[in-house]
Amino acid sequence: MADTVYRRASPKSAIISIENLHKRFGPLHVLRGINLEVAPGEKICVVGPSGSGKSTLLRCVNFLEEPSDGRVFLDGRPMGFIEEPGGRRRRDSEANINRMRARVGMVFQNFNLWTHMTVVRNVVEAPIYVKGLAREKAYTLAEKLLARVGLSDKVHAYPSQLSGGQQQRVAIARALAMEPEIILFDEPTSALDPELVGEVLEVMRDLARDGMTMLVVTHEMGFAADVADRIIFMDHGVIVEESPPEVFFQRPKSERATQFLAKLSSRAPV
Amino acid sequence: MKFDLSVITSNWQLFARGFGVTLVYCGVSSILGLCLGLVVALARLSRSVWLRGPAVGFVELIRDTPFLVQVFVIFFVVPASGLTISATTAGIAALTLYGGAYFSESIRGAILSVPRGQTDAAHAAGMSHVLAMRRIVFPQMMAYLIPPLTNQLIGLVKDSSVLSIITVPELTMATQRVLGTTFAPIEAFSMAALLYWVLTACLAALMGRLEHHTPTHRAARQTTAFLTVADR
Amino acid sequence: MTFEPRYVVQALPFLIRGARLTLEVSLFAIALGLVVGVLLTIIRQSRIKPLEAAASIYISLMRGTPLFIQILIVYFGLSEIGVDLPRFLAGVIALSLNSGAYITEMIRGGLTAIPPGQRDAAKALGMPNRYLWGHILLPQVLFLIMPPLTIEFTGLLKASALLSVIGVVELTRTSQEIIIGTFRPVELWLTAATFYFVMCFVLGAVARRFERVAAAYRA
């Protein structure tokens, strides 16, 4: 692993802290020992070639995938597992896992809006049924959030009536409605037509300015360069390089990052 | 050969009563069978082998033996273990187990048809399995469930005629009673066939309407309406 | 009441004979059902409106009414019009008339899996309809519908139990007759159920095999 030049959040203050994370799917070793800490307010972009394990990393953070080895801490508490005396671990109760997931927002590549519900019901669903928020409060909150992502006029539309960009903005509002401490973005613009990417990135920039803690897997290098405090470059299941954006994009330290960036710029001029 | 309509007209009460009994038997067994089917489907989808194994075994057992033999086993073999069982109980039990096994396959298929991302999003928002099932999966699976379920409900209605063999007084039994006094099998059975036909056709129409009211179809309808407006 | 294996052993030769008849009646029924299915398919493609309508009503009736009633109508109907058929034959006819209605739907499904370009190609070559159907379409369709046809066969195997009512001495009727002599319903019905289970289970495995082969062909 590369040396850390950039200041790392101290373990105590970190919102998310990942220690030696491994994930195997049968014979496939997708994550091979990931260590990462995310401090409050920090924006981290994870980049790398496809198949490098970026999405799996995010899915392990909120336990949508069960890590094969290693630990994830949310606010100092181990996520998904309970350590027993003697070093053995067992799966935490479902209720505990859900409580912790509720504090971590997630935005998916394919939006995953609930297709049988209107936009506003997508947003109020989890606050009402998971957090027990009163209906009126949830709807007021939802309308505020939908206004924030610029979709006040689509409150009662169904997801299938919206463009991809609009759907992704609803998904961001849905994540925000739980008032999460961090939001995980799993390639939020990869499924969008090019002309719709901008509106989603704009909402994300807005969130970043507001101080939201964000862990973003993305191929949008411009966004990463603008917004990220740190760039994590992953390849073959390991973090190859971890640098501030100005370092990463101007003079990457690793050979593989250099090749990766060269390939990108040859494909589409930045 | 003459077709003697008086066989039907003079025995319409018998036919009506038999029709009513068939309706009740099928209604009760369908509801019980759906509950059973849901439990079996969830067991088959569970992570535990101890739930999955018996569920698979039960479905295979029902699917790989004739309904008639199942009826005989319930009516003649179960009492040998000391349990007294009336024709009514045996009939309802047989239809329920039979329906439950087939329904469970449709329910399982419908649950699996709901895209993975929908439950991912639910879990990511902190929903429990039960809540995600209730709020996300069940409403969405209805659209996938209704077409195969329609065929199976029709099958249940048709196969309920077999219960006449253990003297359940449903439509086929009633027809045989008509036969006992009139000796006009063609007329009597044609009338029974017609009544079954009407029943299955109504069932198909009813389920078709129901399908129109699933959350998924409501959403789709809204979308089409929106598109027509947008086109203008 | 206990389970006495010796009654099973005693009954075994008769049950095996009954099971053979069950298989035979189902085999004849699926073969004849296939003929009915093909005929219905041809009628439905004939573009002669009254014929098409009649075929549709026939299919709807067969699928919308109990097979049990159909069996009784065929059995009593044949004797009423003075045709005295052996029970076995009456049973085969009843089953195949019913099965044909389902098989024609399978054929319809199979036809949609054949690219329309093949029809166009045949027509472009000046092939008459007879050849188009006999040499191009049906052979492929019959291959494609092997998996559902095998499942239909298991369906007939199970449905043939109903023929016991009209006196066809297949597996179920055999069991009934032995029970009348021995009063051992537990042993007999459980054994009969096991016979059916084994036959259907094996056929189910065969169907899954066919499905793999057919899937490979489609791809």
Side-chain angles (χ1 to χ4, degrees):
Chain A
M1 221 192 85
D3 300 341
T4 317
V5 201
Y6 195 73
R7 181 189 62 85
R8 251 209 199 171
S10 77
K12 265 179 207 154
S13 66
I15 287 188
I16 297 276
S17 165
I18 301 167
E19 280 182 10
N20 191 31
L21 187 71
H22 285 263
K23 178 65 187 175
R24 296 179 192 85
F25 293 104
L28 232 61
H29 200 164
V30 180
L31 295 178
R32 308 160 179 248
I34 301 286
N35 292 284
L36 181 66
E37 259 139 31
V38 186
E42 210 179 1
K43 293 110 189 74
I44 296 181
C45 284
V46 183
V47 302
S50 54
S52 55
K54 309 181 299 281
S55 293
T56 307
L57 174 62
L58 283 202
R59 292 173 66 87
C60 281
V61 168
N62 67 355
F63 221 66
L64 282 182
E65 299 290 352
E66 191 172 315
S68 307
D69 203 356
R71 297 184 293 186
V72 175
F73 293 93
L74 173 62
D75 230 357
R77 257 200 76 177
M79 176 84 188
F81 290 114
I82 290 179
E83 310 266 333
E84 285 177 338
R88 278 164 46 99
R89 64 179 196 175
R90 62 180 168 84
R91 209 182 147 98
D92 203 348
S93 73
E94 210 209 322
N96 279 339
I97 293 174
N98 291 332
R99 255 196 290 282
M100 294 180 76
R101 275 177 181 157
R103 296 163 59 186
V104 179
M106 183 156 192
V107 173
F108 298 86
Q109 181 176 355
N110 295 309
F111 334 130
N112 291 345
L113 289 183
W114 297 310
T115 48
H116 63 302
M117 295 178 173
T118 58
V119 162
V120 68
R121 278 192 56 207
N122 263 280
V123 180
V124 299
E125 183 71 14
I128 291 176
Y129 287 93
V130 175
K131 267 186 159 178
L133 198 64
R135 235 154 236 286
E136 312 80 72
K137 279 190 186 164
Y139 275 92
T140 317
L141 175 67
E143 269 158 34
K144 204 181 82 193
L145 289 172
L146 287 171
R148 181 169 176 190
V149 299
L151 288 171
S152 290
D153 54 331
K154 300 291 184 201
V155 171
H156 298 294
Y158 279 94
S160 50
Q161 293 167 238
L162 305 183
S163 72
Q166 291 170 329
Q167 288 194 51
Q168 196 59 297
R169 285 188 279 152
V170 174
I172 293 173
R174 176 172 73 175
L176 286 173
M178 291 296 280
E179 293 169 334
E181 293 156 45
I182 177 172
I183 301 186
L184 315 172
F185 289 87
D186 185 7
E187 305 197 19
T189 57
S190 296
L192 297 177
D193 290 337
E195 74 272 21
L196 302 177
V197 168
E199 58 188 71
V200 171
L201 292 182
E202 195 39 57
V203 169
M204 289 170 66
R205 282 201 171 91
D206 178 50
L207 282 184
R209 274 194 295 273
D210 247 31
M212 175 60 73
T213 314
M214 297 160 73
L215 184 54
V216 186
V217 171
T218 187
H219 293 294
E220 294 297 328
M221 295 305 152
F223 173 82
D226 280 2
V227 173
D229 297 317
R230 265 191 291 162
I231 303 285
I232 305 288
F233 175 67
M234 278 180 73
D235 196 13
H236 293 107
V238 293
I239 295 181
V240 178
E241 179 166 347
E242 190 179 341
S243 316
E246 54 278 16
V247 175
F248 181 78
F249 287 109
Q250 252 105 76
R251 40 197 161 78
K253 288 171 290 185
S254 62
E255 183 60 26
R256 267 189 281 178
T258 314
Q259 285 168 1
F260 174 70
L261 289 169
K263 229 182 246 171
L264 277 187
S265 56
S266 70
R267 202 171 50 193
V270 182
Chain B
M1 192 182 93
K2 273 201 315 238
F3 197 91
D4 184 3
L5 266 181
S6 71
V7 171
I8 295 158
T9 48
S10 58
N11 288 296
W12 70 270
Q13 280 169 312
L14 275 173
F15 281 115
R17 203 169 307 146
F19 188 77
V21 173
T22 290
L23 267 185
V24 171
Y25 269 70
C26 292
V28 172
S29 314
S30 302
I31 291 164
L32 292 178
L34 277 172
C35 298
L36 177 66
L38 181 61
V39 171
V40 173
L42 291 177
R44 278 200 70 170
L45 292 169
S46 102
R47 253 179 292 187
S48 151
V49 183
W50 297 106
L51 290 174
R52 244 180 11 229
V56 173
F58 165 70
V59 173
E60 283 298 317
L61 215 56
I62 296 289
R63 293 211 317 173
D64 288 348
T65 50
F67 179 56
L68 179 61
V69 173
Q70 293 162 22
V71 172
F72 284 150
V73 167
I74 289 172
F75 196 56
F76 295 116
V77 177
V78 171
S81 65
L83 221 72
T84 43
I85 190 164
S86 67
T88 304
T89 323
I92 299 266
L95 272 185
T96 300
L97 292 175
Y98 181 66
Y102 283 90
F103 298 159
S104 80
E105 287 291 278
S106 302
I107 294 172
R108 189 174 74 106
I111 289 176
L112 290 175
S113 303
V114 175
R116 168 85 190 274
Q118 296 285 313
T119 40
D120 273 354
H123 290 143
M127 286 193 198
S128 66
H129 278 306
V130 176
L131 191 61
M133 272 285 170
R134 193 161 61 85
R135 301 287 309 171
I136 309 299
V137 176
F138 284 160
Q140 289 197 29
M141 79 172 193
M142 283 305 163
Y144 301 104
L145 178 60
I146 288 180
L149 192 63
T150 307
N151 281 329
Q152 289 170 350
L153 285 173
I154 288 173
L156 186 87
V157 169
K158 291 191 292 179
D159 286 324
S160 73
S161 69
V162 169
L163 297 183
S164 62
I165 295 176
I166 58 162
T167 70
V168 171
E170 45 66 74
L171 184 51
T172 305
M173 185 77 208
T175 312
Q176 280 164 353
R177 281 185 56 199
V178 174
L179 214 65
T181 55
T182 61
F183 309 105
I186 300 300
E187 288 83 347
F189 285 126
S190 300
M191 181 61 191
L194 185 68
L195 287 173
Y196 278 113
W197 198 31
V198 169
L199 184 52
T200 52
C202 288
L203 191 56
L206 192 77
M207 294 298 279
R209 298 200 74 165
L210 206 61
E211 188 181 0
H212 214 60
H213 289 286
T214 55
T216 308
H217 281 255
R218 257 206 307 273
R221 210 159 43 243
Q222 188 84 25
T223 310
T224 345
F226 163 81
L227 288 177
T228 11
V229 172
D231 283 347
R232 253 186 262 136
Chain C
M1 197 158 161
T2 49
F3 189 93
E4 298 268 359
R6 71 194 161 91
Y7 288 102
V8 177
V9 177
Q10 258 174 26
L12 224 45
F14 302 99
L15 291 178
I16 289 171
R17 201 184 304 156
R20 251 190 69 185
L21 202 70
T22 287
L23 278 171
E24 280 171 17
V25 83
S26 313
L27 218 53
F28 279 113
I30 194 95
L32 204 55
L34 206 51
V35 174
V36 174
V38 170
L39 283 178
L40 282 169
T41 307
I42 292 169
I43 290 174
R44 285 212 285 185
Q45 302 254 344
S46 68
R47 301 212 182 133
I48 304 168
K49 277 272 154 6
L51 274 182
E52 281 180 34
S56 295
I57 291 172
Y58 174 84
I59 292 164
S60 169
L61 263 174
M62 284 296 161
R63 299 173 51 129
T65 62
L67 173 63
F68 188 33
I69 301 275
Q70 293 166 19
I71 291 170
L72 293 172
I73 290 183
V74 167
Y75 178 66
F76 285 113
L78 283 176
S79 65
E80 193 119 317
I81 57 175
V83 182
D84 198 16
L85 279 185
R87 289 150 195 271
F88 180 87
L89 207 53
V92 167
I93 289 173
L95 288 184
S96 56
L97 287 178
N98 176 275
S99 193
Y102 290 89
I103 292 176
T104 186
E105 297 287 304
M106 288 174 204
I107 295 177
R108 192 220 284 263
L111 281 173
T112 59
I114 299 176
Q118 294 201 13
R119 272 183 209 231
D120 296 345
K123 280 182 191 150
L125 289 169
M127 226 181 238
N129 252 332
R130 196 156 36 89
Y131 267 74
L132 171 65
W133 281 92
H135 290 216
I136 310 290
L137 297 178
L138 284 180
Q140 294 188 69
V141 164
L142 291 185
F143 177 75
L144 282 171
I145 65 169
M146 278 315 273
L149 208 57
T150 315
I151 293 165
E152 174 69 13
F153 182 62
T154 41
L156 282 173
L157 203 85
K158 290 183 282 175
S160 69
L162 289 172
L163 298 181
S164 61
V165 176
I166 60 166
V168 178
V169 192
E170 40 64 77
L171 186 51
T172 301
R173 181 73 175 211
T174 307
S175 312
Q176 278 173 322
E177 288 180 353
I178 298 175
I179 290 168
I180 290 169
T182 59
F183 299 107
R184 304 301 297 191
V186 177
E187 289 81 356
L188 265 300
W189 285 131
L190 292 181
T191 312
T194 309
F195 266 76
Y196 280 112
F197 182 84
V198 170
M199 289 191 284
C200 292
F201 192 82
V202 169
L203 281 166
V206 171
R208 281 189 286 277
R209 231 212 150 83
F210 276 141
E211 182 53 63
R212 275 201 295 279
V213 177
Y217 177 81
R218 262 181 247 128

